Amino acid sequence: MDYQFKDIEKKWQQFWATNQTFKADNQSSKPKYFVLDMFPYPSGAGLHVGHPLGYIASDIFARYKRLKGFNVLHPMGYDSFGLPAEQYAIQTGQHPAITTEDNIATYRRQLDQIGFSFDWSREVRTSSPDYYKWTQWIFMQLFNSWYNKDADKAESIATLVAHFESKGSKGINAVSDEEVLTFTADEWKALSSEEQQQELLKYRLTYLRESTVNWCAALGTVLANDEVKDGFSERGGYPVEQKKMMQWSMRITAYAERLLQGLDTIDWPEPLKEMQRNWIGKSVGASVRFGLPGAGNEPHNTQHATDYIEVFTTRVDTIFGVTFVVLAPEHELVAQLTTPEQKATVEAYITQTKKKSELDRMADTKTVSGAFTGSYVLNPLNGEKIQLWIADYVLAGYGTGAVMAVPSGDQRDYLFAKHFNLPIIPIIDIQNIETEADPTKEGKYINSDFINGLEYKEATAAVIAKLEEVGAGKARVNFRMRDAIFGRQRYWGEPVPVYFKDNLPHLISENELPLLLPEVDKYLPTESGEPPLARATDWNYNGFEYELSTMPGWAGSSWYWYRYMDAQNNTEFASKEAIEYWKDVDLYIGGSEHATGHLLYSRFWNKFLKDIGKVVEEEPFKKLINQGMIQGRSNFVYRLTFELEPTEYVQNFDLEEELKASAIRSLPMIFISLDNLDDLNNNVEERVLLENNINNIYLKEELETLRMRVKLNLNIHNKIVSDLHVDVNLVNNETLDWEKFKTWRKEYENAFFVSKGGKYICGVEVEKMSKSKFNVVNPDDIIERYGADTLRMYEMFLGPLEQSKPWNTNGIEGVFKFLRKFWRLFHNDAWEFNVSDEAPTKAELKSLHKIIRKVEEDIERFSFNTSVSSFMIAVNELTDLKCNKRAILQEMVIILEPYAPHICEELWVLLGNEAGTLSYAAYPKFNPEYLVEDEFAYPISINGKTKMNLNIPLSLDVKDTEAFVLANTDVQRYLDGKTPKKVIVVKGRIVNMVV
RNA sequence: GCUCAGAUGGUGGAACUGGUAGACACGCAGGACUUAAAAUCCUGUGCCCGUUAAAGGCGUGCGGGUUCGAUUCCCGCUCUGAGUACCA
């Protein structure tokens, strides 16, 4: 029988499902291997061809590892909480759970069609209560924990309470809010329970904090930064204001150092690690206090936050070059430190700053602006009085919201000083500050008191020592990363398992989990601007109000890989045994867009779960591969822009009306093929020719009656054509199927095509894949035409996995032909299955063992595109050899199985093997003996240019090879009687002669 | 600005540690089969010069360098894509 991919694929997909072929066991004598894909958000649009790229790669890897004798865990699930479903619910009133369910069904159908070897018995959905029960449970553990810096790990809040009770706050080294109380044990005990809880909240790993959000009153909701454009909501264009709100936060900053260090232990793409490093943003420097004059002893040393300005600097060595200090306009001391004379200026400046969005403030790096407060601060090391300014280039949220300005070393400070005429003091002997700041660390210090003559390293150490001595500063490490906001004012997310009593948050008890998402009448905020959950009736905890915000999208995805290990467990998020067996993810494949979101939060939660003893590995994803994005590839047709004009005035003649009344209704649409377009643009004659053609061919009969009444002139517009997107499904290899095109839309029904040789060539552009550009390609269509095996192999054949590339089907025929050719090896000319048991020849064995090694090497380095090519080469070779030997073909079936599982299963059974055993067959063993050659066609080159090839026995050593080459008459002809100065022979590679 | 990735025929791409640049596939051209078409098969296909062939020249973004030999290593530059940012 011919290769009937439809029957074959359906048959085996059913077989795998009924027999649970890919169900993984949590116990095995085999080594474990966990292959994970980033699970999808089930959107209403379904899967497009970009989605499966990573899934196909991971499936090939998973299937390969099974053949290599591993116990493979390869699961799939859905990140099913999220905004689009909620948006849809708001529009249609349908419960998001229902639309989500529908979308999942579509995804599942599409995924099943591609033939993935997922263990569906472990499927997870983040929106399902038996899943989010555990997301809530982890939240509770975070609430019940604090970060002990001495132990460098999270601990139960009980250990903190015990410490407070016995020793007070003394000796606690914790990651906490900035302002915590200092107290003795007795003082602690004297606090009311509420006061104690209030204090403990400052230590918990998830806590309430007032944070600024983008509040859109009209939409009644909080918007993400990228949903805000120039101070207005992207959707609807309503004004957005900065509003302070009590929000749940996650103390991820406690893990900053461990998150940074951990990167060195995992096998991830370097750019991705770099992104996380930048996001964490560790900078090593010092904090320095600039005292306020008149506040007492100078230089200053006091506990009260109001009589000094604290700055963070990475260049504490430049402290003698400080000529002013700048505060962020939002800094809390600004009002207090502004003198009456400067009050008006400063307030005007603050108002001006407030008008600017954060984006504007960041974008405008050219204009220098600021205002003098009228106050001075004192340099702690030389007592010098320096001006205190405010300026919007200093951000309140970073460091301390204040900087010490060193105009000789920092370009921003330099411009500021020049603009406001502030002093600039050079501090390093080799510094050149004529036209710009010079941030050099080379050279020796000048104008710098006790560090004069020193070099960078010793100077830094000396300054820090001095600062510590006078109590005005110390070495400090600063991180850019902030705590993550964890609350969302949305409906379709996990409810936070917290209720409020006396304005304090309390956890519900564990046995009351899951806290189910309540039903609401509408998915909108309330009139008073409370989140949708406030609409739920009778939703309270023994009369106390529940938290009304829900968890963000990343909550459910920050631990889901553990649930796959033990998806059905009712008593734990996963059993200890399951976690100890599977441990971590060996291979994780997904897009790099999750670099600083999902991948950072997951590492954070993982480290926390390890601290509390629930998981065993410090890092969750040992190896990670980013698959590139599949971009859309749009096609264009070019519609001629022309008009007809009457050349004379005729009474009561309106061309438009006459056209409408005529048989043709309107002027025909004429499309110009891309290859004709150049001629038209460059060649006037062509245009005249076309005009004549239009008149004579396209318009002739239709306009005859009109022409009898008035003379018409045809004008082609200056911009000859307008480019229109055309559905890529109507185009094959840039050639338009114009019959289909005519039926695509009513208005094209009578279209004309101008082309060379009857082929209409379309234009191409790479853009985002989107409906409006008609460039979305659905895997279903490809599978319908070519089958899943072709789709799988073609997606791999497209190019390196990590590279972004536009989707195009130009080469898909080649892959399909390859599979047919493979099928043909097992069949005779009458399409009857025909395999021989003869012993294979040397040439056949060579082909086989070449491919065994090649595919092994390629898969191990995730180079799937090259192995597809190699399969083609192997099948071409075996076809040429007319090989139908079982000994060769059966091995081929095993090697190809990860790539094209359906056709291989079918052939496996035709070869007489038991159905379903292929997935666990043994991968063929490579034997290098079959590849040994006794001769090699050496390229013979003269001065590095290859001239000819020469077969030379590999048994010859370097010297004999050289002699063999020089004895050759053809070589002599090339040498033209000259003796080479030097002959380089690389055995088995090349011979090069220098003349 | 900074960080990272990339640039190879008409197209997607290959060339792993410096050793025959362009594998494999698409497309295109020619041919076979066919009444014809589709399908299939065969041949050719980097560019230039050359009637064919031979021979030759040029070729991996650009300019240099190291080397017997560079797509690969080094220096400088251009462009494209991604991330990130008045980060002190």
Side-chain angles (χ1 to χ4, degrees):
Chain A
M1 226 197 318
D2 197 354
Y3 170 42
Q4 302 287 349
F5 62 85
K6 274 188 197 164
D7 300 341
I8 293 173
E9 292 181 355
K10 208 163 149 198
K11 171 173 157 193
W12 288 104
Q13 283 161 12
Q14 268 166 12
F15 181 93
W16 296 329
T18 9
N19 293 282
Q20 300 209 46
T21 308
F22 306 111
K23 196 165 170 11
D25 214 319
N26 276 4
Q27 291 173 342
S28 172
S29 55
K30 297 177 183 174
K32 72 101 185 180
Y33 203 92
F34 189 174
V35 183
L36 183 67
D37 294 287
M38 289 186 186
F39 61 167
Y41 173 78
S43 84
L47 229 48
H48 69 64
V49 289
H51 290 109
L53 184 72
Y55 304 159
I56 293 169
S58 65
D59 196 57
I60 289 171
F61 205 83
R63 285 175 178 271
Y64 170 77
K65 280 285 171 185
R66 264 185 219 111
L67 296 175
K68 280 284 191 179
F70 286 82
N71 184 28
V72 174
L73 175 55
H74 186 39
M76 183 48 81
Y78 307 96
D79 192 11
S80 45
F81 270 135
L83 218 46
E86 181 158 336
Q87 224 79 49
Y88 191 72
I90 292 170
Q91 283 164 25
T92 63
Q94 270 209 71
H95 198 288
I98 295 168
T99 49
T100 301
E101 185 84 18
D102 289 350
N103 294 346
I104 287 177
T106 306
Y107 267 61
R108 178 64 192 271
R109 183 183 56 75
Q110 292 184 301
L111 289 169
D112 280 347
Q113 274 189 70
I114 303 173
F116 292 123
S117 65
F118 293 130
D119 177 355
W120 283 109
S121 71
R122 295 171 184 260
E123 182 200 287
V124 303
R125 302 177 182 192
T126 56
S127 62
S128 125
D130 50 331
Y131 181 90
Y132 71 66
K133 169 179 180 180
W134 300 108
T135 310
Q136 292 171 332
W137 180 85
I138 294 171
F139 174 92
M140 292 169 80
Q141 311 311 305
L142 283 155
F143 185 84
N144 278 332
S145 303
W146 66 293
Y147 201 89
N148 184 344
K149 279 200 220 171
D150 288 335
D152 200 18
K153 60 185 277 216
E155 287 180 7
S156 163
I157 201 84
T159 64
L160 184 68
V161 173
H163 186 108
F164 285 167
E165 279 172 354
S166 61
K167 297 174 194 126
S169 61
K170 208 172 165 215
I172 283 293
N173 187 10
V175 179
S176 66
D177 285 6
E178 262 161 42
E179 278 151 41
V180 292
L181 300 174
T182 311
F183 47 79
T184 64
D186 288 336
E187 284 168 336
W188 170 257
K189 286 178 207 150
L191 293 176
S192 71
S193 158
E194 285 79 32
E195 285 166 326
Q196 287 183 346
Q197 287 305 318
Q198 195 67 57
E199 190 61 17
L200 287 176
L201 200 52
K202 297 175 187 168
Y203 293 85
R204 296 181 189 276
L205 289 183
T206 181
Y207 61 101
L208 279 167
R209 159 191 279 188
E210 196 164 71
S211 36
T212 331
V213 294
N214 301 310
W215 175 253
C216 180
L219 294 172
T221 190
V222 174
L223 299 174
N225 276 331
D226 55 335
E227 291 175 297
V228 185
K229 283 256 146 68
D230 304 319
F232 292 90
S233 65
E234 201 177 30
R235 224 190 332 254
Y238 304 109
V240 175
E241 57 176 315
Q242 301 292 301
K243 187 177 157 186
K244 296 228 169 190
M245 247 177 135
M246 267 306 199
Q247 294 257 49
W248 285 99
S249 278
M250 287 275 162
R251 225 179 279 283
I252 188 173
T253 48
Y255 287 87
E257 187 65 39
R258 276 166 70 187
L259 287 168
L260 188 66
Q261 297 305 325
L263 290 173
D264 296 332
T265 68
I266 48 184
D267 185 3
W268 286 18
E270 203 46 50
L272 191 77
K273 290 197 204 177
E274 202 55 33
M275 269 155 88
Q276 291 212 345
R277 284 192 194 103
N278 290 340
W279 190 264
I280 295 165
K282 180 179 182 177
S283 39
V284 179
S287 62
V288 182
R289 292 172 176 184
F290 287 76
L292 299 173
N297 43 334
E298 302 162 5
H300 212 71
N301 180 14
T302 169
Q303 294 285 307
H304 299 287
T306 50
D307 29 4
Y308 59 83
I309 301 291
E310 182 158 350
V311 304
F312 173 76
T313 176
T314 52
R315 288 295 301 274
V316 73
D317 58 301
T318 63
I319 192 158
F320 293 102
V322 176
T323 57
F324 54 100
V325 165
V326 190
L327 300 180
E330 300 90 343
H331 195 280
E332 50 192 357
L333 292 181
V334 171
Q336 184 194 325
L337 293 175
T338 304
T339 58
E341 306 84 68
Q342 288 301 107
K343 200 168 180 226
T345 321
V346 166
E347 279 178 0
Y349 186 73
I350 292 175
T351 321
Q352 184 198 323
T353 308
K354 272 191 183 156
K355 274 189 212 151
K356 287 198 210 169
S357 73
E358 196 159 325
L359 262 170
D360 291 339
R361 255 172 90 169
M362 287 190 273
D364 187 9
T365 57
K366 295 213 176 80
T367 37
V368 176
S369 71
F372 180 42
T373 61
S375 289
Y376 292 82
V377 291
L378 300 172
N379 187 321
L381 294 189
N382 60 12
E384 209 149 298
K385 209 173 151 191
I386 53 188
Q387 296 189 356
L388 183 66
W389 286 67
I390 62 169
D392 63 9
Y393 78 82
V394 179
L395 301 179
Y398 184 76
T400 58
V403 302
M404 60 179 223
V406 185
S408 56
D410 182 286
Q411 186 59 18
R412 272 184 341 237
D413 297 344
Y414 185 88
L415 291 174
F416 197 86
K418 284 274 180 198
H419 189 263
F420 291 110
N421 248 327
L422 294 158
I424 300 174
I425 307 172
I427 40 163
I428 298 176
D429 54 0
I430 62 160
Q431 221 169 15
N432 176 2
I433 54 168
E434 303 248 310
T435 53
E436 56 179 11
D438 181 356
T440 184
K441 291 176 182 172
E442 314 282 310
K444 297 196 160 72
Y445 292 85
I446 54 169
N447 299 327
S448 292
D449 203 319
F450 60 91
I451 57 167
N452 278 337
L454 297 186
E455 285 178 3
Y456 174 72
K457 270 199 168 163
E458 13 177 30
T460 304
V463 170
I464 290 175
K466 187 76 178 179
L467 285 169
E468 279 176 1
E469 188 190 316
V470 302
K474 59 182 175 207
R476 198 181 140 178
V477 173
N478 206 33
F479 291 96
R480 191 178 83 98
M481 185 167 68
R482 329 251 178 97
D483 280 345
I485 297 176
F486 196 68
R488 298 289 185 267
Q489 282 59 49
R490 309 282 185 188
Y491 176 74
W492 192 230
E494 299 87 346
V496 177
V498 161
Y499 65 92
F500 285 88
K501 189 172 156 189
D502 304 322
N503 268 327
L504 277 172
H506 295 270
L507 295 178
I508 67 174
S509 62
E510 273 186 27
N511 58 29
E512 291 164 305
L513 289 176
L515 173 59
L516 293 173
L517 196 55
E519 296 300 321
V520 292
D521 57 341
K522 274 196 254 175
Y523 305 98
L524 287 168
T526 63
E527 277 70 34
S528 53
E530 281 191 297
L533 291 192
R535 293 179 175 272
T537 44
D538 289 331
W539 195 59
N540 56 58
Y541 188 80
N542 304 326
F544 297 110
E545 190 181 53
Y546 278 125
E547 168 63 49
L548 296 177
S549 61
T550 51
M551 298 187 195
W554 53 268
S557 60
S558 292
W559 69 280
Y560 74 111
W561 63 97
Y562 285 117
R563 190 61 180 169
Y564 285 135
M565 296 175 184
D566 195 7
Q568 263 37 280
N569 198 320
N570 289 322
T571 53
E572 293 165 280
F573 70 89
S575 74
K576 209 174 160 58
E577 299 77 59
I579 291 170
E580 275 173 3
Y581 178 72
W582 293 110
K583 289 191 175 69
D584 55 5
V585 175
D586 295 280
L587 174 65
Y588 197 18
I589 295 189
S592 60
E593 66 270 22
H594 298 108
T596 49
H598 163 61
L599 288 173
L600 201 59
Y601 298 131
S602 293
R603 294 181 59 221
F604 158 43
W605 278 31
N606 189 79
K607 284 174 194 299
F608 168 72
L609 289 171
K610 172 151 192 274
D611 285 352
I612 63 170
K614 296 292 175 187
V615 306
V616 291
E617 293 291 329
E618 175 79 12
E619 289 290 340
F621 315 125
K622 222 184 282 175
K623 173 156 185 79
L624 186 137
I625 300 273
N626 282 132
Q627 98 263 17
M629 250 203 310
I630 296 248
Q631 295 146 313
R633 195 167 176 287
S634 308
N635 279 116
F636 293 87
V637 289
Y638 303 97
R639 191 182 63 207
L640 190 71
T641 49
F642 68 97
E643 59 190 3
L644 283 174
E645 272 176 352
T647 50
E648 59 208 340
Y649 177 75
V650 174
Q651 217 172 3
N652 292 331
F653 186 90
D654 180 333
L655 186 65
E656 292 263 321
E657 293 300 317
E658 297 290 336
L659 276 174
K660 268 186 204 160
S662 76
I664 58 165
R665 311 253 168 231
S666 63
L667 287 176
M669 295 217 186
I670 298 174
F671 292 92
I672 313 290
S673 174
L674 183 66
D675 46 353
N676 284 66
L677 204 53
D678 286 340
D679 296 347
L680 283 179
N681 272 316
N682 303 328
N683 195 331
V684 184
E685 282 166 36
E686 289 280 340
R687 276 175 82 157
V688 174
L689 203 66
L690 181 67
E691 279 177 359
N692 290 338
N693 277 339
I694 292 173
N695 269 319
N696 297 334
I697 302 171
Y698 307 118
L699 303 181
K700 196 171 181 227
E701 282 164 31
E702 284 84 351
L703 294 179
E704 223 153 9
T705 44
L706 279 182
R707 282 216 169 92
M708 277 190 251
R709 292 175 54 198
V710 62
K711 213 176 159 211
L712 292 170
N713 198 20
L714 184 132
N715 282 328
I716 293 180
H717 290 190
N718 251 344
K719 188 183 178 296
I720 296 175
V721 290
S722 52
D723 319 7
L724 304 173
H725 276 96
V726 59
D727 190 332
V728 292
N729 294 303
L730 306 177
V731 179
N732 195 10
N733 278 320
E734 274 45 282
T735 309
L736 179 72
D737 182 335
W738 62 42
E739 291 309 321
K740 274 197 204 157
F741 179 76
K742 284 180 174 180
T743 57
W744 183 40
R745 298 197 151 177
K746 190 99 180 62
E747 65 255 44
Y748 300 147
E749 194 168 40
N750 297 312
F752 289 101
F753 301 90
V754 176
S755 65
K756 287 181 182 168
K759 266 192 165 183
Y760 188 94
I761 308 295
C762 298
V764 190
E765 231 172 87
V766 172
E767 299 176 296
K768 234 185 99 175
M769 210 176 257
S770 94
K771 264 189 185 168
S772 63
K773 297 185 165 72
F774 300 109
N775 60 3
V776 175
V777 186
N778 189 293
D780 301 18
D781 300 339
I782 305 280
I783 290 169
E784 174 65 26
R785 261 177 87 178
Y786 299 102
D789 284 337
T790 298
L791 174 76
R792 289 170 66 104
M793 291 199 85
Y794 185 61
E795 290 225 6
M796 294 300 101
F797 188 61
L798 222 43
L801 182 63
E802 289 100 325
Q803 216 166 285
S804 283
K805 57 224 151 202
W807 174 260
N808 78 79
T809 47
N810 285 359
I812 199 163
E813 297 279 346
V815 173
F816 182 70
K817 278 190 219 163
F818 155 76
L819 285 174
R820 275 194 79 190
K821 232 171 156 179
F822 183 62
W823 180 262
R824 277 250 302 257
L825 285 176
F826 298 75
H827 294 80
N828 61 20
D829 291 343
W831 290 108
E832 290 158 344
F833 186 78
N834 179 25
V835 166
S836 112
D837 283 316
E838 273 174 67
T841 65
K842 216 178 147 190
E844 290 165 345
L845 283 166
K846 188 175 157 192
S847 278
L848 174 68
H849 282 264
K850 243 169 42 187
I851 188 79
I852 294 174
R853 183 180 58 181
K854 176 71 175 154
V855 171
E856 260 180 344
E857 283 172 358
D858 285 349
I859 293 187
E860 304 279 357
R861 62 191 171 103
F862 304 95
S863 175
F864 301 103
N865 55 325
T866 49
S867 41
V868 177
S869 302
S870 310
F871 278 122
M872 290 173 172
I873 294 170
V875 167
N876 287 346
E877 282 172 0
L878 293 175
T879 303
D880 288 344
L881 292 167
K882 300 197 173 11
C883 172
N884 70 337
K885 316 252 171 75
R886 174 184 305 275
I888 301 291
L889 298 186
Q890 176 145 323
E891 304 282 66
M892 287 290 293
V893 167
I894 301 173
I895 309 167
L896 187 62
E897 184 267 348
Y899 292 80
H902 308 88
I903 190 174
C904 289
E905 287 273 13
E906 184 71 17
L907 291 168
W908 182 252
V909 170
L910 285 172
L911 283 164
N913 298 290
E914 194 190 326
T917 55
L918 174 60
S919 301
Y920 297 92
Y923 194 86
K925 209 169 149 20
F926 170 64
N927 185 346
E929 278 169 36
Y930 295 116
L931 301 192
V932 173
E933 302 271 356
D934 33 344
E935 237 182 33
F936 176 71
Y938 279 86
I940 311 297
S941 50
I942 295 175
N943 294 335
K945 296 262 175 206
T946 308
K947 296 291 175 186
M948 58 179 287
N949 278 30
L950 187 59
N951 278 322
I952 303 173
L954 282 164
S955 53
L956 298 187
D957 64 10
V958 170
K959 228 177 169 177
D960 293 339
T961 307
E962 184 179 330
F964 189 100
V965 169
L966 290 174
N968 186 280
T969 50
D970 289 325
V971 172
Q972 282 305 325
R973 191 163 55 80
Y974 277 109
L975 283 172
D976 201 20
K978 292 175 208 124
T979 316
K981 272 188 223 151
K982 197 173 170 189
V983 179
I984 293 114
V985 176
V986 183
K987 199 160 177 224
R989 286 259 187 214
I990 199 168
V991 177
N992 188 21
M993 287 174 287
V994 188
V995 182

